[in-house]
Each structure stands twice: as structure tokens, then as C-alpha cells.
């Protein structure tokens, strides 16, 4: 059985007090299974993915308080 490799996608909240306009929260989603954990862990507790990859620069996490928009294919 091969191990999966992934990265955490952090939740964020708009903020006028930080550079860049977003405050990144401790909650994050697994890039492989999508489950949310309350803080980064070395391995996803839901699917066993090893978190050793870097998130793509253009990937942004969910914004707290906003509904998700449908993804365009």
C-alpha cells in the first residue's frame, strides 16, 4: 500500500489589521479527503495522508462567514 502525500488548506477570515487582508485560522482542510481538523498535524487523522507537500500558490482556503461558490470546470 502506497502512502498518500498532501498539504493543509487553511481557513481564513477577512481582516483590516493584517497585511494581505486575511487572518489565517488554525482550522484547515486535508487536500486529499477534504476533512477539517482544528490545527495542522503531520498526518491527516481521517485518511492517513502525510502532509509533506507545499500548497500551490494560487490555492486559497475557505473564507469564514462566506458561502462557497460552485467550482467552474
Amino acid at each position: 500500500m502506497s502512502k498518500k502525500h498532501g498539504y493543509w488548506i487553511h481557513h481564513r477570515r477577512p481582516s483590516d489589521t493584517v497585511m494581505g487582508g486575511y487572518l489565517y485560522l488554525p482550522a484547515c482542510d486535508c487536500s486529499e479527503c477534504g476533512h477539517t481538523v482544528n490545527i495542522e498535524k503531520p498526518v491527516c487523522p481521517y485518511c492517513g495522508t502525510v502532509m509533506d507537500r507545499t500548497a500551490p500558490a494560487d490555492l486559497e482556503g475557505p473564507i469564514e462567514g462566506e458561502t462557497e461558490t460552485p467550482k467552474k470546470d
Side-chain angles (χ1 to χ4, degrees):
M1 184 169 136
S2 64
K3 288 189 177 187
K4 294 184 276 183
H5 298 271
Y7 50 88
W8 292 117
I9 302 167
H10 286 269
H11 293 215
R12 59 197 178 122
R13 173 178 60 212
S15 176
D16 294 333
T17 62
V18 295
M19 186 179 256
Y22 290 101
L23 177 66
Y24 286 84
L25 307 172
C28 45
D29 300 333
C30 174
S31 65
E32 293 298 310
C33 71
H35 278 91
T36 301
V37 296
N38 60 351
I39 195 163
E40 278 189 20
K41 298 173 183 354
V43 176
C44 177
Y46 296 98
C47 68
T49 297
V50 177
M51 297 300 168
D52 59 356
R53 292 207 171 140
T54 303
D58 61 346
L59 182 65
E60 295 290 345
I63 299 173
E64 190 176 85
E66 289 187 11
T67 57
E68 288 191 39
T69 57
K71 294 180 181 178
K72 295 178 182 177
D73 292 18

